[in-house]
């Protein structure tokens, strides 16, 4: 099916045929990734409640999303790193991302990447670093007065704005935020 570009159908068939076999899932996720078609199998992958794949497999998918500059990276981080079925060690992931980011010039400047890092920092008890990432996100510019920004981008920016201000309030980051006043000016209320 994948050879005939029926990628979504192939991913659904994986879910049907290998539903409870972690070894086969690990194999097929890698195969989809090797063919640059990871986005098709991602929604069908086991999420840990009944079946858990190896951490390396989930990390492989995240790496593929980063390599392809795919905003599904944020969705996967939010889905796999938090909650009862934490599928990836968030501290280890954060260390890897910070190391990769240091050697990269432009690749990690996307809003979705910055938001993912902010969420990871927050989860790991580093609220100032989380706020710093939120304040650096480009979508905090005045979205209300920019007709070129789509509704979904506007909605995401508004969500991030609320998170940033809630973080300032709940973590008592008023002094730190005042030092980053330029970032706060980017946030339009």
């Amino acid at each position: 099916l994948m050879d005939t570009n029926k990628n979504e159908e192939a991913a659904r068939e994986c879910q049907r045929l290998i539903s409870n076999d972690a070894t086969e899932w690990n194999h097929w996720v890698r195969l989809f990734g090797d063919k640059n078609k990871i986005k098709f199998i991602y929604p069908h992958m086991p999420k840990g409640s009944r079946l858990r794949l190896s951490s390396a497999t989930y990390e492989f998918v995240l790496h593929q999303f980063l390599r392809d500059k795919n905003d599904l990276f944020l969705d996967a981080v939010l889905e796999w790193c938090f909650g009862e079925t934490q599928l990836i060690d968030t501290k280890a992931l954060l260390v890897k991302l910070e190391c990769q980011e240091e050697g990269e010039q432009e690749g990690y400047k996307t809003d979705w990447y910055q938001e993912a890092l902010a969420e990871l920092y927050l989860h790991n008890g580093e609220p100032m670093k989380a706020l710093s990432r939120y304040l650096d996100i480009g979508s905090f510019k005045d979205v209300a007065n920019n007709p070129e920004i789509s509704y979904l981008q506007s909605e995401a920016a508004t969500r991030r704005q609320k998170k940033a201000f809630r973080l300032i309030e709940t973590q008592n980051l008023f002094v730190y935020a005042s030092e980053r006043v330029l970032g706060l000016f980017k946030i339009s209320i």
Side-chain angles (χ1 to χ4, degrees):
L1 290 173
M2 288 172 63
D3 292 335
T4 60
N5 272 342
K6 296 181 179 177
N7 302 308
E8 182 60 42
E9 189 177 340
R12 280 193 307 271
E13 283 299 303
C14 283
Q15 189 174 23
R16 186 179 69 80
L17 295 172
I18 59 173
S19 62
N20 292 319
D21 188 337
T23 303
E24 282 297 311
W25 268 111
N26 290 326
H27 168 77
W28 280 97
V29 168
R30 292 270 177 185
L31 186 63
F32 272 79
D34 291 343
K35 293 182 180 262
N36 295 321
K37 298 177 183 209
I38 203 77
K39 68 181 180 182
F40 295 103
I41 199 160
Y42 162 70
H44 304 283
M45 291 174 59
K47 308 296 191 281
S49 56
R50 290 179 313 128
L51 181 66
R52 185 183 201 124
L53 306 182
S54 72
S55 291
T57 298
Y58 296 110
E59 289 174 17
F60 173 76
V61 172
L62 289 176
H63 175 74
Q64 296 289 309
F65 287 155
L66 268 181
R67 184 200 67 199
D68 299 342
K69 310 250 185 300
N70 190 322
D71 62 356
L72 288 174
F73 176 81
L74 174 61
D75 295 338
V77 165
L78 294 175
E79 186 175 13
W80 295 345
C81 293
F82 311 112
E84 294 175 18
T85 57
Q86 185 177 344
L87 303 172
I88 296 175
D89 178 354
T90 57
K91 287 184 182 186
L93 176 61
L94 198 49
V95 168
K96 286 179 186 177
L97 293 175
E98 287 172 334
C99 289
Q100 288 176 339
E101 186 178 36
E102 286 177 17
E104 189 74 23
Q105 277 81 19
E106 295 286 325
Y108 296 98
K109 300 294 183 197
T110 63
D111 293 353
W112 49 263
Y113 178 80
Q114 297 296 327
E115 185 174 359
L117 271 184
E119 291 294 328
L120 288 167
Y121 281 130
L122 195 55
H123 181 75
N124 286 313
E126 300 179 76
M128 288 193 326
K129 285 185 176 181
L131 180 59
S132 179
R133 292 297 176 150
Y134 277 126
L135 295 178
D136 288 341
I137 292 175
S139 287
F140 278 170
K141 294 184 180 91
D142 189 6
V143 296
N145 297 320
N146 188 345
E148 294 178 14
I149 296 178
S150 75
Y151 172 75
L152 289 178
Q153 287 173 312
S154 175
E155 191 175 277
T158 301
R159 181 187 73 245
R160 292 179 189 123
Q161 291 170 353
K162 289 178 182 176
K163 284 182 178 181
F165 279 106
R166 191 173 332 121
L167 186 57
I168 291 168
E169 186 177 358
T170 61
Q171 298 294 318
N172 198 21
L173 296 175
F174 298 105
V175 172
Y176 178 74
S178 70
E179 294 168 359
R180 298 284 316 266
V181 74
L182 182 59
L184 288 172
F185 278 133
K186 292 179 184 175
I187 299 177
S188 195
I189 301 178

